[in-house]
Amino acid sequence: MEFSIKTGNAEKLRSNCVIVGVYESHELSNAAQAIDDASDGYITNILKRGDLDGKLDATLMLHNVPGTQSERVLLVGLGKPGDFAEKQYCKAVRASVKAVVASGASEAVSFLAELPVKKLSIHWKVAHLTEVALDATYRFDAIKRKKEAAEEKSSKKCIKKLTINITDAKELSAAEAGLAEGKALAAGISLTKDLGNLPPNVCTPTYLAEQAVALGKRYGLQIEVLERDALKKLGMGSFLGVAQGSAEPPKLIVLQHLKGKKNQKPVVLVGKGITFDTGGVSLKPGAEMDEMKYDMCGAASVLGTFRAIAEMNLSLNVIGIIPTCENMPDGRATRPGDVLTSMSGLTIEVLNTDAEGRLILCDALTYAERFEPSAVVDIATLTGACVIALGHHASGLFSNNEDLAKELLQAGETALDRAWHMPMWDDYQPQLDSNFADMANIGGRAAGSITAACFLSRFTKKYEWAHLDIAGTAWKSGKEKGGTGRPVPLLTEFLVARAKKANK
Ligand code: BES
Ligand code: MN
Ligand code: ZN
């Protein structure tokens, strides 16, 4: 989809489709009012008849509206004027884009960015319009037969060009900046979705490493891929313990986006990259096991975030660390009862081989120390318990630092990609006691997402650290099965805010 920004009049411009908003009270947005005036009350009449109630995300497509030059006018319900805020804005944008696609119009001009949204800048509105439009039209066709994918692409039902109209020409540069940011973020989200959606026989640890190398080439990032021998030398016994049951070789991928000041301490992002989680010898039940291909979504969100910030050329130092392998049952696989020695020297009794995410993350978190980070954030589809606690709306946030937690929560609010702060009190730590090693890798059924975070906290004492459990937010099940791209919006916003602070 191509984008552009213009200042124009809704009733005068020539387009396949003009998108304007209408409130529930039958109050018209400025653009809708202009069309109504030019058409002798055409819209008011329709509203009076009750064809559109103006409820949020309801739409009505009109054709050949008198007094206008466009083929179609799409009315989008905005809900009550007093309730119209960030979320409602994005919902209306999403509904409008879906309706345009369904109509077959290949080009549209949206007047939604002109709507007053409490305290929101034109930059925010254009950025989110762009991001939501690209998100709503995302399709995964990477592994369809080439012919079919091409046919789908060239078929009429896709928007080729979307113009965002703004009222004030003085706002043009802010709008352009918002457009660039929205596009960059959408590119990152799309990469994260693609990697999650790919089948696990394609998206292997080796494939993820290749994608990182490709990203590095494209954007001028330093990429390093550590192979099994190097991991052995580093003493990553915990990570290698998970990997040893798989025929796919493990990789530790390190990405460096060093566009901040030379002496600026980097932010480190660590992403869980289990490309398939069978549970290992503690085998998972069969139902929905295919969804465990999404167990690399932490890794995918690190790669997606790197794509977004590289595309923005964000002036900040950011390091990405991705431990990636499969968790398979095999003659050589780790057994329940095995004790592994982590890179930190701490020993771990593996009571359940299905609690493997923490086993690969702990060594990556120890590895992070060498970068003397200003903060470390790990992202992982870590526990089913987090889904039970928070469902699919919020990611679980755990941290050893209140300020860092607040920063991430705020970023999630701003990006509409929320997290919820969970407790990590010392009271939970004894659940990890082991009779045979420094700790066990599971802490019983109670508070499963918290004891998983407590496990990681033992390896993150040397820096400010936060952990995002994205088990409930990274993908959708059921009819709409697919990666969501979360929490790329949260992470990108967090880094953008850090860059703003650092470059003040
Ligand atoms: N990848 C899973 C977590 C998961 C499960 C994410 C379901 C999304 C949906 C993780 O490796 C895992 O298996 N965790 C176990 C931990 C348990 C053995 C302590 C879990 O949550 O059941
Ligand atoms: Mn598991
Ligand atoms: Zn897992």
Side-chain angles (χ1 to χ4, degrees):
M1 197 186 311
E2 259 180 61
F3 288 87
S4 61
I5 297 174
K6 283 209 178 109
T7 54
N9 298 323
E11 74 284 11
K12 287 192 190 131
L13 59 88
R14 260 171 217 285
S15 145
N16 283 176
C17 185
V18 181
I19 303 168
V20 299
V22 174
Y23 295 98
E24 207 175 305
S25 49
H26 290 188
E27 196 182 306
L28 303 183
S29 64
N30 290 341
Q33 187 64 55
I35 291 178
D36 198 51
D37 291 344
S39 63
D40 255 343
Y42 194 83
I43 296 180
T44 317
N45 263 330
I46 284 175
L47 297 178
K48 263 193 206 145
R49 264 185 253 139
D51 286 24
L52 184 75
D53 51 17
K55 286 223 167 69
L56 185 61
D57 75 21
T59 57
L60 183 68
M61 186 67 86
L62 310 175
H63 297 265
N64 305 321
V65 175
T68 66
Q69 308 293 314
S70 291
E71 290 168 15
R72 302 176 186 79
V73 172
L74 178 71
L75 302 182
V76 191
L78 304 174
K80 297 196 178 82
D83 295 344
F84 197 70
E86 290 98 322
K87 254 206 164 141
Q88 288 74 12
Y89 173 77
C90 290
K91 268 198 162 168
V93 169
R94 186 174 295 274
S96 70
V97 169
K98 294 226 154 158
V100 174
V101 172
S103 78
S106 63
E107 175 248 345
V109 184
S110 178
F111 280 76
L112 298 184
E114 297 185 357
L115 297 169
V117 191
K118 276 175 223 158
K119 285 189 236 151
L120 290 180
S121 62
I122 192 73
H123 181 281
W124 189 98
K125 285 190 281 187
V126 172
H128 279 77
L129 194 151
T130 309
E131 180 204 333
V132 172
L134 288 166
D135 192 66
T137 51
Y138 169 86
R139 274 193 213 155
F140 182 70
D141 50 20
I143 48 175
K144 289 202 177 145
R145 251 195 339 182
K146 272 210 185 103
K147 194 170 142 250
E148 263 108 44
E151 268 168 21
E152 232 170 82
K153 255 198 191 139
S154 67
S155 77
K156 273 190 197 141
K157 299 219 163 182
C158 76
I159 309 177
K160 296 208 176 84
K161 191 163 190 288
L162 185 62
T163 303
I164 302 170
N165 207 85
I166 61 172
T167 333
D168 190 349
K170 273 184 248 135
E171 293 186 319
L172 199 62
S173 68
E176 292 285 0
L179 175 60
E181 201 174 299
K183 271 196 209 164
L185 178 55
I189 291 171
S190 162
L191 174 63
T192 300
K193 286 183 181 176
D194 279 349
L195 292 173
N197 290 334
L198 280 169
N201 59 332
V202 173
C203 187
T204 60
T206 304
Y207 183 87
L208 284 180
E210 285 165 5
Q211 294 309 302
V213 169
L215 207 61
K217 277 220 178 96
R218 178 159 173 192
Y219 295 105
L221 314 173
Q222 271 166 257
I223 310 291
E224 201 185 346
V225 180
L226 306 188
E227 309 284 341
R228 197 191 305 263
D229 283 345
L231 305 179
K232 264 189 206 149
K233 278 201 194 110
L234 285 165
M236 294 194 172
S238 185
F239 178 18
L240 289 170
V242 177
Q244 76 193 28
S246 166
E248 292 290 338
K251 312 271 172 183
L252 187 85
I253 307 167
V254 183
L255 305 97
Q256 308 210 18
H257 170 105
L258 302 176
K259 312 247 166 113
K261 294 185 187 112
K262 259 226 163 112
N263 54 357
Q264 178 192 81
K265 291 185 166 181
V267 175
V268 177
L269 303 180
V270 179
K272 172 179 172 182
I274 295 288
T275 59
F276 196 74
D277 182 11
T278 64
V281 171
S282 314
L283 194 65
K284 284 185 180 295
E288 281 137 41
M289 207 207 268
D290 67 290
E291 294 192 8
M292 282 301 121
K293 72 173 184 178
Y294 289 109
D295 213 16
M296 35 54 72
C297 280
S301 71
V302 171
L303 291 170
T305 301
F306 267 73
R307 177 158 183 200
I309 63 169
E311 192 88 43
M312 290 174 193
N313 202 17
L314 192 71
S315 53
L316 193 72
N317 294 336
V318 189
I319 308 277
I321 305 177
I322 296 174
T324 173
C325 68
E326 279 184 332
N327 186 24
M328 301 293 270
D330 177 86
R332 274 164 305 186
T334 293
R335 294 155 285 256
D338 282 2
V339 172
L340 304 174
T341 302
S342 67
M343 183 180 173
S344 72
L346 290 167
T347 58
I348 304 159
E349 185 187 11
V350 180
L351 288 177
N352 188 321
T353 63
D354 197 12
E356 85 296 341
R358 61 199 80 181
L359 295 175
I360 71 168
L361 287 170
C362 69
D363 282 340
L365 288 166
T366 301
Y367 190 77
E369 286 172 10
R370 67 184 55 206
F371 298 105
E372 294 178 36
S374 62
V376 177
V377 181
D378 80 71
I379 308 101
T381 48
L382 203 62
T383 64
C386 191
V387 190
I388 302 302
L390 297 174
H392 302 286
H393 299 291
S395 304
L397 170 68
F398 304 81
S399 182
N400 63 10
N401 183 284
E402 277 299 310
D403 292 335
L404 177 59
K406 278 201 190 123
E407 237 179 300
L408 288 160
L409 286 174
Q410 185 54 52
E413 292 286 345
T414 307
L416 301 179
D417 178 14
R418 284 191 290 195
W420 185 254
H421 197 174
M422 302 279 282
M424 208 179 47
W425 299 310
D426 285 342
D427 310 55
Y428 294 98
Q429 290 283 358
Q431 285 180 238
L432 295 170
D433 286 351
S434 159
N435 286 353
F436 306 105
D438 292 325
M439 71 194 84
N441 79 326
I442 53 169
R445 267 171 60 81
S449 66
I450 300 175
T451 52
C454 285
F455 180 95
L456 298 177
S457 75
R458 296 174 180 217
F459 301 86
T460 58
K461 295 203 186 294
K462 298 208 173 125
Y463 45 70
E464 294 178 9
W465 158 76
H467 156 61
L468 286 166
D469 193 330
I470 58 166
T473 51
W475 77 91
K476 287 185 178 156
S477 310
K479 231 179 95 190
E480 284 180 68
K481 193 188 282 181
T484 60
R486 293 180 70 183
V488 173
L490 180 159
L491 293 169
T492 306
E493 174 60 35
F494 164 68
L495 296 174
V496 166
R498 280 233 163 180
K500 265 189 204 144
K501 232 198 268 163
N503 301 312
K504 236 201 263 179

